[in-house]
Amino acid sequence: MTSPPPTDLAALRADIDRIDSAMHDLLMERGRIIDRLIAVKKTSASGSAFRPGREASMMRMIAERHQGLLPLDTVEGIWRVIIATFTYVQAPFAVHADVSGGDAPMRDSARFHFGFTVPYRPHPSAAAVIAAVAASRGDLGVFRLDQGVTAGAWWRQLAGPGRPKVIARLPFIERPGHPAGTPVFCVAKPLDDPSAAQRDWVLYAARFERWRDEAAEAVAELGGEVVASAGIGGGLSQLLALPGRVSPEEAQAVLAKAGATPGAFEEIGSHAARFRVGEG
């Protein structure tokens, strides 16, 4: 019995070369479309190019349809670089990162989500990142969700008209062993187009004279969670994440009954719901 002929390696390599050329052609075509988009939108500020809602939808779609030999980490990383780099081409921006918990995890997060073309700027705290974003023309900032008690109520710097706001929680796709798995908030100046935001979860800065069981129950009743808390003069400041289906009026009314200070309740941003995939 004769064995089947060996696979024609030259033909397989030619197929790979053909696919590589086709991918490059598509990237160049995407660039030409972005050129036209810039002309139509007349993009001048970086914030006008950010589309966190669209990005979250794209990453979910990619994760849901992906299959085969190539690891999802690689696919996600490639798409993140494509999205971030073309956004940078539309309107250049830098990423400011809080490295108070170590530079390596923040640099990994910034490079995985925004690539190497976008400039990376380290800072000593979340507060310094927020200040840098506020002073910029349209940069992004990233910092860990868990800032620790010494960071104070950093989220209060996001309160107020014109102040930077949370536009994303990264990574979009959460899974065991993610190469850039440190949970971080991404902040930017208010988006030019509010419809570009993703409002699965809305973040609020709230103030209480003191924390009570009724307050915890009220947050749970709304389907939310306390992300962080810190003492401030004469009371306690809370960073709350509430489902986007809860209106600000409903949230404020429920929390006021549980001891929230009237008028000290303000939205500081929003982000997409966590999208998890397993180890498979």
Side-chain angles (χ1 to χ4, degrees), residues 12 61 99 184-185 191 198 213 240:
L12 292 175
M61 178 188 68
V99 298
V184 301
F185 281 136
L191 299 175
Q198 184 68 34
D213 290 342
L240 306 177

Side-chain angles (χ1 to χ4, degrees), residues 10 27 30 46 87 93 110 122 134 139 161 170 182 200 214-215 242 265 280:
L27 286 173
R30 197 182 200 278
S46 300
T87 301
F93 65 96
D139 291 350
L170 302 175
T182 301
D200 294 339
E214 293 91 334
L242 302 179
F265 182 81

Side-chain angles (χ1 to χ4, degrees), residues 98 100 123-134 142-143 147 151-155 157-158 163-164 187:
D98 162 34
S100 60
H123 294 272
S125 66
V129 166
I130 295 168
V133 171
V142 291
F143 46 81
Q147 287 288 310
W154 53 264
W155 51 92
Q157 288 186 259
L158 303 173
R163 296 294 301 166
V187 298

Side-chain angles (χ1 to χ4, degrees), residues 183-205:
V184 301
F185 281 136
C186 179
V187 298
K189 285 185 172 180
L191 299 175
D192 290 349
D193 179 6
S195 68
Q198 184 68 34
R199 296 180 64 81
D200 294 339
W201 288 92
V202 181
L203 301 171
Y204 295 95

